[in-house]
Amino acid sequence: MAEAVFHAPKRKRRVYESYESPLPIPLGQDPGPQKEFRVFRAEMIDNHVLVRSPADMEQLYGKGYFGKGTLSRSRPSFSVSDPKLAAEWKDVKTNMPIIPSEKYQHRLSWAADLLRRQGQDENTVCRVLEEYTRPLEHLGGESSAEGRPQAGLMAETGGLLGIDGASGTMKETGKPGLGSGPGPLAAASFGECTGEDPAPASRVSSCVLDALSPQCGLLPLDSSLHAREREPGPEFVLVEEGASGGSEREDTQAVEEVKSIKLVQRKRLICRRNPYRIFEYLQLSLEEAFFLVYALGCLSVYYEKEPLTIVKLWQAFTAIQPTFRTTYGAYHYFRSKGWVPKTGLKYGTDLLLYRKGPPFYHASYSVIVELVDERFTGPLRRPFTWKSLATLSRVSGNVSKELMLCYLIKPSTMTDEDMKSPECLRRIKVQEVILSRWVSSRERSDQDEL
Amino acid sequence: MVPPSGQCRAAHGEGGGDPSLEEVLLDWGGASAPAWAGQRLPPSKPGFGTPGMGPKGGPGRSSEPLGTAVVYKARIRSRYRGTSVKAGARTRENQEGGKPVEESRRHLPALGPLGVPVGGAHEEGAGADCGQMEPEPEPAAVEVPPGRVLSAPELFAARSRSQKLPQRSHGPKDFLPDGSEAQALRLRQCREELWQLLAEERVERLGSLVAAEWRPEEDFVELKSPAGKFWQTMGFSEQGHQRLHPEEALYLLECGSIQLFHQDLPLSIQEAYQLLLTGDTVTFLQYQVFSHLKRLGYVVRRFQPSSVLSPYERQLNLDGYAQHLEDGTGKRKRSASSQSVNKKAKALEDSLLPISLAASSPPASVQNSQCSMEKAQESKPMKGPGVPFQLLGSLEPCPGLAREGQGCGEESGKAENGVKGARKPRWNFEQISFPNMASDSPRILLPAPAPELLPANVAGRETDAESWCQKLNQRKEKLSQREREQQAVAQQFREDVNADPEVQRCSGWREYKELLQRRHLQKSQSCPSHLWGQPVTPLLSPGQADSPATVLQHISVLQTTHLADGGARLLEKPGGLDISFDVYQADAVATFRKNSPGKPYARMCISGFDEPVPDLCSLKRLTFQSGDVPLIFALVDHGDISFYSFRDFTLPKDLEH
């Protein structure tokens, strides 16, 4: 056989997640109620495609491993919460992030900086922040029995967060067999903790909200979007503080309970508004975004609130990245074979091909993509010398990947005009070539290689 | 024992593969012989016999009778700056006349002042102390002419000298000249060892040497006495004579298996390098690869384009026949006929091409019918025996079955008018009625099939299928516990189509289809118009995603091709790289027959490391030429050889998630 042998992909030794679905679209064969075909939303910001809604992010990354978190290596996993503290306080069933007070102070100072940059004088800054970050606790002095109705009341007012979290947690703790800790107690204490959240929130003057919301996260966003789509998490945080003075000593018994169980001396969680929120988004590569739009039809890319059509996107992406057509052709080809291509930047190539997804298998192939014409020549994106090829082959070999050259062959009849629409992909042929090193002395004993 | 390699570099002259060593560069602390120099010597050392190599066995060296040994001299200092030294060939050149002779006396004194040449293009230390090179001490027996019969004391001395290769390392490797005395000393030491090693006499028994004559005008070496064991894997017979290709002769000369004459005078190894590798037969690079592979025990034969079967021949199992053909043409191979053989092969392949198209053999069939290509694509990966296609398990075991109804029509529509992707159902199901053969149907009378659906020579008639129904297994399917559970779970979520009141209201398929159409429309109205209301719509519509397989089928728009596709067309274009050698595995040596060598293990293309990487066009041409034998590119970089293969590949579809 002159053809290269297919080597089974290598499974990762430890897999920490379960496989959901190959693609972020509902499949008819899936058991369970028919899910609705959902069109995700992404935005073009500064030549990048960003997905902001946490639900969309989770779907797109979890099903098909599209994109990467802007603050993470791959899966968007940034959380405000301090993992160590969260582990320490895990008995407090909350989905609000827990942060140490130093971190909270950092955020305060960032927020203050921001307000100052906006031209507020020092007094206003102090006042606004003080108002905004007041511990949301003075209502908590009431008994837990009152806390809950209040929460319910707030839920009716709607739109305000924290309620969902609270009730969700209630439900969770109510479940039998969940956690060995003092479930009801924790729930009660939590109810106190969160019950008061909405109240100050509603009290916060709108000017403060206006002042603070633009700086939520890294990008200018309209606050309404956040109010609608964001999880309650970043709005309120639980700050771990040393119990100061005796004012909080008469806290409810429940909190005391928790504390004693946790053996955290004189430490308590105080719920405050987060003055400076950091959001993580899912950034899609242009190829990924276009694939979701063109192949699956499950993504709308908006540019300044206007959704873009497929042809428009094709042209825009080509303008942003001149070799987009070439790389997209290869991306589409490998996706349509059920593999998961990710960027091969770290190995000096264009794409890495994973089976199933990066969490499950090591990438099997490291791919270089070239577009050639009917005569199999053309201006190459990356002209090779034997030296550079040898280098690349060595690097790929050392990370147990095979080096693949992927040539897209366009027919001679294809004009530039044809190339202006993604429909031209139908006429492109793909040639895959595996480059491997042959060791003359080793092959003598190792004959099954060829 | 390993031949010293790599660390010393010998840069040979430019002049058309002139094998004389014009420049010798030494890396610090490296081996004391250049790679190719090492290649020449080791075969004469015991313990170096690799299968297939050994015309000369190790044992018995010391028991040879006195007085029958000849000396072979590896000469290295042939030409420095144009001073040609051909000690052994002196007499011959005198006879020839015209060639400079007097230099031969000069070669050693001349070396001193000239020193090691300052290789302008070369880095690494060599230039460091060129100027201060002292005249080298003359190794003892340089002037012994090749082919001389040794006296008893000389033979004894030759037999009893150390067989060990000199120490490889002189401390850590230096990268830059530092001008120090110590470095210069080390450099000199390395160099001396190199010269010494290269100048070592090779003493062989006269009786074990096969006499051979170099025939430059015909580019081959003719054996004058019966060939040795090497004949099993090397050489060829023509006109009743045993002949060797120049590279084979040179290799055997280096191994100490033949004695090479030219104009009745024996040639030294150095002279043989110079004479045999010039001209347009074998280049120095090719010889380096040839000897490298030979020393590893491979059987290396010249590549003959005529020996490659066309895909069609292969398909017809013409191996034996083609072999027979080859015996005829192969015999008078070499010399001028090689070109015509090449042409003949092309003509043969060309004439066969139309047939192979019709037979839809994978490589040739692509341009014409995309449909058959698609099939070939799908079935091809399955064919390979012993290939671990784990992923393919779920790859549509039967392509025909996997696509049902509409899907099938769609597929063919896509294939037919490629670009537009129009959907034209092949069958009009509204006119074709399907009989109900289920057990709940009491009477099954099948009407005569419509004549237009039948081939002309087949007559259809009405039948009563009841007797058939009895023979059918209509029992209820038995499910395992687990299957039943699964079904129950699925049942929870799935609604019976018939339970739908709207469906119930339908009186026929047509109405039901209309209903589906309506619902689909309703659904797609929720599809944003900037995606679906445009000339270019997404490849997949919301309703089409039943399983990963169907999704992938819908979005697969790019076609796969193979390296050998359309290669015949490219063969006509001349130029570029060519296949040089066929390589057979070392362990096949015992059974190897030159007459029917069988399928080679690989074919070699030889290229310099500085030369361009073959583009897709050359790759396709060479792969086509190589047929079903893997193609390997051997890259020679100053005596170092590395091998790379470009092989056709098709990533399997992965559906098993």
Side-chain angles (χ1 to χ4, degrees):
Chain A
M1 284 294 277
E3 268 189 43
V5 175
F6 172 71
H7 298 281
K10 286 190 194 68
R11 198 176 261 284
K12 283 201 174 163
R13 194 131 34 103
R14 292 210 180 81
V15 176
Y16 298 99
E17 54 191 87
S18 59
Y19 188 69
E20 287 181 63
S21 171
L23 294 168
I25 48 173
L27 296 173
Q29 66 174 19
D30 291 347
Q34 266 306 326
K35 273 155 272 168
E36 206 183 317
F37 190 87
R38 173 142 162 253
V39 178
F40 304 106
R41 181 192 168 101
E43 270 142 289
M44 285 296 300
I45 293 165
D46 202 18
N47 291 349
H48 299 290
V49 185
L50 289 183
V51 179
R52 286 172 172 173
S53 140
D56 287 6
M57 282 163 62
E58 199 188 315
Q59 287 279 312
L60 288 177
Y61 191 85
K63 298 179 174 180
Y65 301 94
F66 292 91
K68 79 176 270 295
T70 50
L71 300 178
S72 312
R73 200 185 59 151
S74 47
R75 180 185 282 278
S77 59
F78 172 80
S79 79
V80 184
S81 190
D82 186 293
K84 244 195 278 167
L85 281 184
E88 238 169 71
W89 291 91
K90 66 176 183 291
D91 283 354
V92 182
K93 306 280 187 223
T94 173
N95 55 3
M96 282 196 292
I98 304 174
I99 61 173
S101 69
E102 308 89 72
K103 271 198 183 174
Y104 191 77
Q105 291 307 320
H106 282 304
R107 276 155 208 275
L108 266 182
S109 66
W110 295 334
D113 283 347
L114 188 94
L115 287 176
R116 272 181 224 120
R117 276 205 300 278
Q118 285 173 346
Q120 315 275 357
D121 62 69
E122 201 61 33
N123 279 346
T124 330
V125 171
C126 286
R127 192 170 40 78
V128 165
L129 280 181
E130 199 177 325
E131 173 105 350
Y132 191 73
T133 62
R134 184 182 303 146
L136 307 173
E137 229 177 11
H138 50 286
L139 296 180
E142 296 159 36
S143 75
S144 56
E146 280 167 48
R148 248 171 279 154
Q150 192 168 20
L153 185 87
M154 288 308 169
E156 278 164 32
T157 63
L160 274 168
L161 322 152
I163 299 289
D164 291 344
S167 53
T169 315
M170 293 294 211
K171 211 162 58 189
E172 223 171 62
T173 45
K175 275 185 199 164
L178 223 186
S180 54
L185 281 181
S189 71
F190 176 74
E192 270 161 47
C193 265
T194 51
E196 62 268 5
D197 291 349
S202 58
R203 261 188 242 149
V204 174
S205 65
S206 61
C207 86
V208 174
L209 257 183
D210 287 347
L212 288 175
S213 51
Q215 43 111 3
C216 306
L218 303 171
L219 295 154
L221 297 174
D222 49 328
S223 58
S224 66
L225 183 80
H226 283 296
R228 196 173 64 246
E229 295 182 4
R230 268 283 151 191
E231 276 177 35
E235 176 96 26
F236 303 98
V237 290
L238 296 173
V239 186
E240 189 198 54
E241 292 171 4
S244 55
S247 64
E248 276 107 20
R249 296 303 288 150
E250 70 274 16
D251 253 345
T252 55
Q253 208 184 349
V255 174
E256 300 277 73
E257 277 289 329
V258 172
K259 275 194 283 180
S260 62
I261 288 165
K262 289 306 302 165
L263 294 174
V264 178
Q265 203 112 54
R266 309 180 72 73
K267 287 263 174 89
R268 45 164 300 150
L269 294 181
I270 296 168
C271 181
R272 292 175 191 271
R273 270 177 168 280
N274 185 356
Y276 194 94
R277 283 184 276 163
I278 297 172
F279 294 109
E280 179 170 33
Y281 304 120
L282 187 74
Q283 179 174 3
L284 298 173
S285 73
L286 299 186
E287 289 84 13
E288 286 168 330
F290 196 78
F291 178 82
L292 291 168
V293 175
Y294 173 60
L296 303 182
C298 69
L299 182 78
S300 295
V301 180
Y302 286 79
Y303 181 72
E304 291 180 345
K305 304 204 173 148
E306 274 304 310
L308 299 172
T309 64
I310 291 173
V311 176
K312 185 76 208 144
L313 268 181
W314 180 256
Q315 288 163 1
F317 286 177
T318 309
I320 294 170
Q321 187 180 309
T323 58
F324 172 74
R325 292 162 183 168
T326 310
T327 47
Y328 179 72
Y331 182 91
H332 187 107
Y333 179 74
F334 293 121
R335 268 283 176 193
S336 69
K337 284 184 167 250
W339 292 68
V340 178
K342 300 297 279 187
T343 173
L345 189 66
K346 286 176 191 134
Y347 304 99
T349 55
D350 296 321
L351 293 173
L352 289 180
L353 300 186
Y354 289 90
R355 190 184 175 212
K356 275 173 96 173
F360 308 102
Y361 285 87
H362 294 282
S364 311
Y365 301 95
S366 200
V367 188
I368 299 275
V369 186
E370 291 288 3
L371 180 70
V372 294
D373 59 21
E374 185 82 319
R375 286 170 292 124
F376 312 114
T377 52
L380 299 181
R381 297 168 58 232
R382 184 168 178 164
F384 274 119
T385 61
W386 281 115
K387 198 190 258 181
S388 56
L389 206 56
T391 313
L392 207 54
S393 160
R394 175 67 76 171
V395 168
S396 308
N398 280 0
V399 289
S400 308
K401 299 179 190 356
E402 287 180 75
L403 185 61
M404 186 197 287
L405 307 178
C406 176
Y407 292 96
L408 305 182
I409 305 166
K410 68 174 182 190
S412 49
T413 52
M414 195 188 282
T415 59
D416 284 352
E417 197 59 37
D418 294 334
M419 299 272 281
K420 284 185 181 159
S421 157
E423 294 292 303
C424 70
L425 293 175
R426 294 180 192 275
R427 294 163 63 194
I428 286 180
K429 291 180 180 168
V430 183
Q431 172 68 58
E432 295 143 274
V433 176
I434 293 280
L435 176 80
S436 54
R437 205 165 74 87
W438 182 69
V439 184
S440 50
S441 50
R442 188 184 61 203
E443 301 287 325
R444 270 199 53 199
S445 48
D446 211 21
Q447 288 151 25
D448 49 355
E449 270 301 303
L450 266 181
Chain B
M1 212 188 299
V2 179
S5 66
Q7 318 236 3
C8 291
R9 292 173 166 190
H12 53 93
E14 293 297 314
D18 181 358
S20 69
L21 183 64
E22 295 199 340
E23 297 164 317
V24 175
L25 288 180
L26 295 181
D27 280 358
W28 267 116
S32 36
W36 60 267
Q39 287 162 16
R40 294 190 207 172
L41 289 175
S44 66
K45 303 276 181 193
F48 231 88
T50 40
M53 178 221 88
K56 168 94 179 73
R61 294 186 64 129
S62 53
S63 62
E64 283 160 17
L66 294 179
T68 56
V70 285
V71 168
Y72 269 79
K73 202 82 214 158
R75 268 302 171 69
I76 33 111
R77 297 183 198 109
S78 71
R79 275 205 261 161
Y80 280 110
R81 304 256 169 98
T83 47
S84 162
V85 176
K86 293 173 183 168
R90 190 170 45 205
T91 9
R92 175 173 53 77
E93 289 186 353
N94 271 331
Q95 287 166 352
E96 273 178 33
K99 289 204 177 174
V101 182
E102 70 283 352
E103 284 112 332
S104 57
R105 280 273 155 226
R106 237 185 339 125
H107 69 285
L108 286 172
L111 185 70
L114 288 170
V116 172
V118 187
H122 297 288
E123 58 310 309
E124 299 196 302
D129 42 7
C130 270
Q132 62 217 33
M133 262 300 279
E134 282 147 39
E136 275 188 43
E138 182 177 340
V142 163
E143 292 295 339
V144 180
R148 191 177 69 98
V149 177
L150 295 179
S151 69
E154 279 171 330
L155 188 58
F156 181 74
R159 288 293 182 227
S160 56
R161 75 181 162 219
S162 163
Q163 299 276 332
K164 255 172 64 185
L165 285 171
Q167 191 193 350
R168 287 186 60 135
S169 165
H170 290 274
K173 192 170 173 174
D174 288 356
F175 291 94
L176 281 175
D178 57 8
S180 73
E181 197 55 29
Q183 196 184 42
L185 184 74
R186 282 203 301 266
L187 185 61
R188 200 163 54 239
Q189 218 175 344
C190 279
R191 211 173 265 142
E192 272 164 28
E193 275 168 11
L194 170 70
W195 297 135
Q196 218 176 332
L197 201 63
L198 288 175
E200 183 166 296
E201 287 174 344
R202 315 220 180 144
V203 181
E204 293 292 344
R205 251 183 90 183
L206 196 53
S208 65
L209 289 174
V210 175
E213 195 195 353
W214 166 234
R215 306 265 285 271
E217 53 296 339
E218 283 127 325
D219 277 340
F220 61 71
V221 169
E222 193 159 286
L223 298 186
K224 294 296 177 192
S225 53
K229 204 180 150 201
F230 63 81
W231 192 250
Q232 197 191 353
T233 57
M234 298 166 95
F236 59 100
S237 306
E238 216 168 46
Q239 297 164 357
H241 295 287
Q242 294 186 313
R243 287 170 183 173
L244 294 171
H245 292 304
E247 69 273 18
E248 295 174 326
L250 188 53
Y251 176 72
L252 290 171
L253 182 69
E254 286 197 293
C255 289
S257 302
I258 64 168
Q259 191 176 19
L260 197 55
F261 291 90
H262 182 45
Q263 297 178 346
D264 295 330
L265 288 170
L267 293 178
S268 72
I269 291 174
Q270 181 187 345
E271 287 163 341
Y273 259 84
Q274 223 160 5
L275 290 175
L276 269 63
L277 296 187
T278 46
D280 32 31
T281 54
V282 184
T283 63
F284 186 55
L285 292 191
Q286 282 171 324
Y287 179 70
Q288 283 188 310
V289 175
F290 176 85
S291 59
H292 173 86
L293 293 170
K294 284 300 284 183
R295 259 178 286 114
L296 286 167
Y298 293 96
V299 176
V300 186
R301 306 283 296 170
R302 279 201 180 174
F303 169 68
Q304 297 175 20
S306 61
S307 68
V308 181
L309 300 177
S310 74
Y312 180 64
E313 285 173 307
R314 243 174 273 140
Q315 199 181 350
L316 287 186
N317 230 345
L318 278 181
D319 294 37
Y321 175 68
Q323 220 65 67
H324 176 72
L325 263 187
E326 197 222 324
D327 283 352
T329 58
K331 293 235 162 116
R332 54 172 183 81
K333 235 230 91 189
R334 249 359 274 156
S335 69
S337 68
S338 140
Q339 206 54 30
S340 68
V341 168
N342 204 341
K343 279 203 190 96
K344 201 171 167 188
K346 271 177 210 161
L348 185 73
E349 274 156 20
D350 286 357
S351 68
L352 284 168
L353 199 66
I355 318 173
S356 67
L357 265 181
S360 94
S361 69
S365 63
V366 193
Q367 297 102 322
N368 285 21
S369 82
Q370 297 174 343
C371 207
S372 76
M373 200 202 74
E374 223 172 286
K375 287 234 175 69
Q377 232 177 297
E378 273 160 11
S379 57
K380 203 165 179 186
M382 309 278 206
K383 277 192 288 187
V387 182
F389 274 110
Q390 295 186 340
L391 301 181
L392 282 173
S394 61
L395 193 147
E396 304 171 317
C398 172
L401 283 179
R403 301 174 202 141
E404 67 252 272
Q406 193 203 2
C408 182
E410 206 176 282
E411 192 70 20
S412 66
K414 219 188 265 173
E416 274 155 23
N417 21 7
V419 190
K420 276 184 263 164
R423 288 166 198 180
K424 205 175 105 236
R426 213 187 297 166
W427 307 107
N428 185 352
F429 289 104
E430 286 172 30
Q431 283 171 7
I432 304 169
S433 59
F434 282 95
N436 181 1
M437 301 286 281
S439 52
D440 56 350
S441 174
R443 202 175 65 88
I444 306 126
L445 190 67
L446 303 179
E452 69 269 16
L453 297 175
L454 292 175
N457 53 351
V458 175
R461 60 189 159 78
E462 211 179 50
T463 36
D464 188 357
E466 196 161 356
S467 59
W468 288 105
C469 278
Q470 283 161 1
K471 290 178 190 165
L472 289 177
N473 180 1
Q474 296 193 330
R475 268 176 302 176
K476 249 191 135 180
E477 196 184 359
K478 265 191 187 153
L479 296 171
S480 72
Q481 179 70 25
R482 190 151 160 250
E483 281 171 324
R484 250 176 287 146
E485 275 169 21
Q486 275 176 348
Q487 227 173 35
V489 171
Q491 213 60 49
Q492 280 182 354
F493 303 110
R494 257 188 215 138
E495 275 178 45
D496 186 3
V497 180
N498 292 316
D500 189 332
E502 265 189 283
V503 174
Q504 278 174 346
R505 243 174 280 140
C506 295
S507 61
W509 277 108
R510 187 193 294 268
E511 281 181 40
Y512 177 64
K513 289 233 158 133
E514 279 167 2
L515 176 74
L516 286 186
Q517 185 93 36
R518 240 186 353 262
R519 286 189 176 172
H520 181 71
L521 267 182
Q522 278 171 358
K523 231 187 215 169
S524 61
Q525 268 157 11
S526 68
C527 301
S529 66
H530 65 274
L531 292 182
W532 275 275
Q534 297 288 326
V536 179
T537 57
L539 296 173
L540 185 79
S541 311
Q544 290 172 324
D546 290 332
S547 67
T550 52
V551 172
L552 295 189
Q553 207 177 76
H554 276 111
I555 65 173
S556 294
V557 291
L558 293 110
Q559 306 147 23
T560 309
T561 68
H562 297 280
L563 270 184
D565 293 350
R569 195 158 46 91
L570 300 168
L571 271 185
E572 284 137 36
K573 284 189 218 159
L577 275 173
D578 277 315
I579 303 177
S580 299
F581 298 116
D582 284 349
V583 178
Y584 299 85
Q585 288 241 289
D587 53 1
V589 168
T591 53
F592 183 82
R593 284 169 57 220
K594 283 187 292 186
N595 283 343
S596 62
K599 207 173 90 168
Y601 171 68
R603 299 188 210 272
M604 289 286 156
C605 279
I606 286 130
S607 154
F609 202 69
D610 306 329
E611 288 168 46
V613 176
D615 58 2
L616 184 59
C617 186
S618 331
L619 268 187
K620 285 180 80 87
R621 179 174 55 88
L622 294 169
T623 308
F624 180 79
Q625 219 180 352
S626 176
D628 58 351
V629 178
L631 190 67
I632 294 177
F633 290 83
L635 304 169
V636 188
D637 182 22
H638 297 110
D640 263 342
I641 306 175
S642 44
F643 298 91
Y644 289 94
S645 73
F646 291 87
R647 255 177 294 166
D648 195 13
F649 185 66
T650 306
L651 192 69
K653 255 192 190 185
D654 182 12
L655 296 176
E656 203 177 73
H657 285 311

